[in-house]
Amino acid sequence: MIDLIINIILLTFLAITAIAIIRTTNLFATIMLFGIFSLLSATLFVVMDALDVAFTEAAVGAGISTILMLTTLALTKNHNEKRSHAHRPWLPLAVVTITGMALVYGTLDIPGFGDPAAPANTHVAQYYINNALPETGVPNIVTAVLASYRGFDTLGEVAVIFTAGVAVLLLLGGKPSSPNSNPRTNKKREEDET
Amino acid sequence: MKRNPILRIVAKFLIPLIILFALYVQFHGDFGPGGGFQAGVIFSAALILYALVFGLEAAEKIIPPHILRLLASAGVVLYASVGVVSLFLGANYLDYSVLGSTQIKGQHLGILLVELGVGMTVTAVMLIIFFAFAGRGRP
Amino acid sequence: MDFIISHYNYWIVIFLMMVGLYTVISRGNLIKKIIGLNIFQVSVFFLYISMGTVKDGAAPIITEGVKLYSNPLPHVLILTAIVVGVATTALGLALVVRIKESYGTIEEDEIHEMDHSL
């Protein structure tokens, strides 16, 4: 019961933080709020028994991604977002409300939170829980499934991370090309002018 | 931040502990929460802290960028080659049971190697990304 | 009342998802858009983890004397998704940095104006 109460309180906090994130115009404050959002989600993952996920979210969401966003902010030197009048809130709000209502209608059939008889918890999950220790000798079922039963899947994920690293290196690895120092753009500009 | 003594001393005290914790998470992931993904991120967080406090050049002296690139690809290759070895030993791709004398031993060895590969790639990629962003701001 | 409590998780998930979507649609700043995408992403993580939670279940690490465990499968999927998510976020931020370098702004409408004037 106490789990459920903590769960509900934290979820409410999360919703409030999300609203604060969209209402803030100062980007530094937004990024800090996003760090808080990640830390709150890590806490919530602990409440929902997902220790490995909480661990990752605390290290990645509150640590690395906040630092990366701050570095981007330092590079773009743009600390306040502009709210121009071209963005009228009514159309996006309508789209979001209608989509949200459709999704809420979809949840009415979902088995309740924590239902042990839900279809998601009865098929392959029971196999993993019963057989992970005898078959692999690893008590942490998450590690056993991650590395052994679904090893091929994880290989794909590692390849995706590697590809993202290569792509960032391609985009940012070289010398920054400022418009005045790059001879090619200068030449092109001179041609344009003549 | 290089001249701030409190930051320097606290960082010097914390960084070895963070690295130790990352290694614990990496190799104890079979028994408690943890594994290659978390360990990689924590390990890179220790080096990012070093770079933030002591400067980017000092951090690049510890791990030069070309070694990072090598490490990132070596992790993926290690992962994939474990699968190839099990193919040669007569099992399916990434079936670790044949790697050891018994099924349990083989699975243990396979999971350890695979997690090591994941840890290497994640550490290296996170650092590559951070160095790429931070290096962009250099005059 | 029971129905509301047992579905509260899913409704907050939908709310967060819609907050993320709204930010992506209505805000012109590219960094803000990426934060919106991240909120959307976290809401999907919550959807998976909520579905895998079992009432009074323990964390899925086998211990003697524990009979009921939470579903480990969503944990595995989301664990990798988080790390992949930060890698792709970094890619998006790298694109933002390059856009800033070539356009001098990261506001969507200013970029549109520049492109039309060409």
Side-chain angles (χ1 to χ4, degrees):
Chain A
M1 192 62 211
I2 190 84
D3 276 12
L4 207 60
I5 294 170
I6 296 175
N7 182 32
I8 286 176
I9 293 173
L10 283 176
L11 279 169
T12 315
F13 276 169
L14 210 60
I16 295 169
T17 320
I19 293 175
I21 288 174
I22 47 170
R23 290 189 59 88
T24 319
T25 51
N26 185 316
L27 285 176
F28 183 75
T30 313
I31 292 170
M32 283 303 150
L33 279 170
F34 184 70
I36 293 172
F37 183 85
S38 295
L39 204 59
L40 273 177
S41 14
T43 330
L44 202 48
F45 286 136
V46 176
V47 177
M48 293 189 202
D49 299 330
L51 298 184
D52 288 86
V53 182
F55 214 149
T56 322
E57 176 71 28
V60 166
I64 306 270
S65 59
T66 312
I67 285 186
L68 287 179
M69 283 180 186
L70 286 177
T71 340
T72 315
L73 196 64
L75 286 175
T76 53
K77 298 181 185 68
N78 183 328
H79 290 276
N80 282 299
E81 96 179 282
K82 280 176 204 150
R83 289 276 167 84
S84 58
H85 297 287
H87 291 289
R88 290 190 200 89
W90 299 113
L91 184 62
L93 213 54
V95 169
V96 161
T97 316
I98 292 170
T99 320
M101 303 251 274
L103 288 173
V104 168
Y105 177 69
T107 61
L108 298 182
D109 287 341
I110 290 185
F113 176 67
D115 184 0
N121 298 334
T122 46
H123 294 279
V124 71
Q126 283 309 317
Y127 176 83
Y128 290 143
I129 291 171
N130 294 331
N131 296 327
L133 190 59
E135 280 184 7
T136 64
V138 171
N140 186 354
I141 309 173
V142 175
T143 305
V145 176
L146 182 94
S148 185
Y149 291 102
R150 292 184 170 247
F152 204 70
D153 188 359
T154 312
L155 177 60
E157 309 270 7
V158 175
V160 170
I161 294 168
F162 177 68
T163 316
V166 171
V168 170
L169 211 54
L170 281 174
L171 282 169
L172 295 181
K175 287 253 155 59
S177 57
S178 68
N180 298 322
S181 65
N182 192 337
R184 234 166 70 200
T185 47
N186 269 356
K187 204 174 161 194
K188 202 175 158 222
R189 198 164 285 166
E190 278 162 21
E191 278 168 9
D192 286 349
E193 278 166 9
T194 48
Chain B
M1 274 188 260
K2 283 178 199 168
R3 292 205 187 134
N4 192 328
I6 295 176
L7 271 179
R8 285 174 68 100
I9 289 172
V10 170
K12 267 188 187 162
F13 177 70
L14 276 181
I15 288 167
L17 289 181
I18 298 175
I19 291 179
L20 197 64
F21 184 58
L23 291 174
Y24 169 77
V25 169
Q26 170 84 48
F27 294 108
H28 200 260
D30 302 2
F31 306 102
F37 285 100
Q38 294 95 325
V41 174
I42 295 171
F43 200 92
S44 60
L47 289 169
I48 288 176
L49 175 63
Y50 187 85
L52 286 177
V53 175
F54 296 98
L56 195 58
E57 279 76 20
E60 279 181 345
K61 257 181 216 155
I62 296 180
I63 294 197
H66 63 272
I67 289 189
L68 277 182
R69 286 169 210 174
L70 214 64
L71 203 64
S73 29
V76 183
V77 170
L78 176 62
Y79 198 134
S81 57
V82 171
V84 174
V85 168
S86 64
L87 265 188
F88 277 118
L89 290 174
N92 285 329
Y93 190 68
L94 288 174
D95 181 357
Y96 315 130
S97 304
V98 289
L99 293 177
S101 50
T102 63
Q103 188 190 358
I104 301 277
K105 275 185 188 161
Q107 290 282 350
H108 253 301
L109 182 64
I111 289 176
L112 195 73
L113 288 175
V114 159
E115 292 276 7
L116 192 64
V118 172
M120 278 158 69
T121 303
V122 172
T123 311
V125 168
M126 291 300 147
L127 284 173
I128 284 175
I129 290 172
F130 176 74
F131 283 167
F133 273 90
R136 203 67 177 177
R138 262 192 297 226
Chain C
M1 191 62 197
D2 269 0
F3 185 78
I4 292 177
I5 289 177
S6 70
H7 285 70
Y8 188 72
N9 271 50
Y10 302 119
W11 294 338
I12 291 286
V13 163
I14 290 170
F15 177 76
L16 291 178
M17 207 179 260
M18 290 307 116
V19 166
L21 187 62
Y22 178 78
T23 317
V24 174
I25 299 174
S26 75
R27 296 292 183 259
N29 189 296
L30 294 178
I31 293 183
K32 199 73 177 264
K33 272 184 198 284
I34 286 183
I35 290 176
L37 278 177
N38 267 305
I39 294 177
F40 196 103
Q41 197 183 21
V42 171
S43 80
V44 176
F45 299 162
F46 276 120
L47 179 67
Y48 272 65
I49 301 290
S50 303
M51 282 186 169
T53 310
V54 173
K55 203 178 202 170
D56 300 326
I61 297 169
I62 292 181
T63 329
E64 271 179 51
V66 179
K67 285 271 176 285
L68 196 61
Y69 295 99
S70 282
N71 188 348
L73 190 55
H75 301 184
V76 175
L77 301 176
I78 297 313
L79 172 61
T80 51
I82 288 176
V83 183
V84 170
V86 74
T88 47
T89 303
L91 184 56
L93 290 172
L95 285 170
V96 171
V97 170
R98 288 302 295 262
I99 286 172
K100 167 76 181 182
E101 279 173 7
S102 47
Y103 284 89
T105 176
I106 54 168
E107 296 288 336
E108 197 183 28
D109 17 325
E110 290 172 13
I111 294 170
H112 275 309
E113 261 174 38
M114 283 177 164
D115 273 352
H116 286 309
S117 66
L118 282 174

